[in-house]
Amino acid sequence: MDNDKKEIVSMDDLDKCILSLLGNDGRMSYRMISRELNVSVGTVHNRVEKLIESGLLKKFALVLNLEKLGYELTVVVGVELKSGLASDILSISSYKENILAAYDVTGEFDAMLICKFKNTNQLNQFIKELLKEDNILKTYTQTVLNVHKEEINSPIDIIKN
């Protein structure tokens, strides 16, 4: 996320309906959306283009069921850094494909990571590699027991392992 002045984008009910349909099925054609909403295909196309140009609609994303690939372990990792920036972790970590999200945060830790692993051995290696880095002071790991909501885009790099 950039630090430039943030522009608030306004949406009407049609924009919301289009996004709702695309959110449920990103492969839905403009023709199908137009039929569902009783508007022209051109209207749908123009609205989607407007949402893309405004930056509200960032991308159409592939969402994988990572459990089907063996990634059954979800963890939240708090990291204390000398530099204090979560982006530094992404440049040093040899396991960065396991990181689904990295946030700069307030509180006891400088960064929070949401990660997926196939097993505890992979998690163990990840933590040990992180702690070898000069910029990492300490980590705190929590294992997720149950996922009630998860809508993080799938990292395509994870399927390379």
Side-chain angles (χ1 to χ4, degrees), residues 34-148:
S34 72
R35 287 181 187 148
E36 181 85 19
L37 300 178
N38 199 28
V39 296
S40 74
V41 174
T43 297
V44 173
H45 177 269
N46 292 338
R47 292 296 186 105
V48 171
E49 287 301 311
K50 180 190 84 169
L51 293 168
I52 291 169
E53 288 172 15
S54 72
L56 180 69
L57 182 54
K58 292 168 63 171
K59 66 179 178 177
F60 295 84
L62 175 69
V63 179
L64 300 173
N65 180 346
L66 295 176
E67 286 185 8
K68 297 277 186 183
L69 295 172
Y71 289 85
E72 297 183 6
L73 185 61
T74 303
V75 298
V76 179
V77 181
V79 182
E80 188 176 331
L81 297 153
K82 287 181 188 173
S83 72
L85 297 175
S87 59
D88 292 345
I89 295 169
L90 299 176
S91 64
I92 62 174
S93 175
S94 59
Y95 285 85
K96 65 183 164 197
E97 64 272 2
N98 294 89
I99 301 171
L100 298 183
Y103 305 101
D104 291 324
V105 297
T106 60
E108 184 178 350
F109 296 96
D110 300 303
M112 294 301 285
L113 309 175
I114 309 296
C115 306
K116 291 276 191 179
F117 299 98
K118 289 185 175 181
N119 52 48
T120 55
N121 289 334
Q122 207 178 42
L123 167 60
N124 184 39
Q125 285 300 110
F126 174 80
I127 297 298
K128 286 181 177 172
E129 290 296 318
L130 270 183
L131 290 171
K132 286 181 186 176
E133 298 295 331
D134 291 336
N135 194 31
I136 308 286
L137 298 174
K138 71 178 179 177
T139 63
Y140 178 80
T141 304
Q142 294 181 306
T143 302
V144 174
L145 298 176
N146 296 299
V147 176
H148 297 286

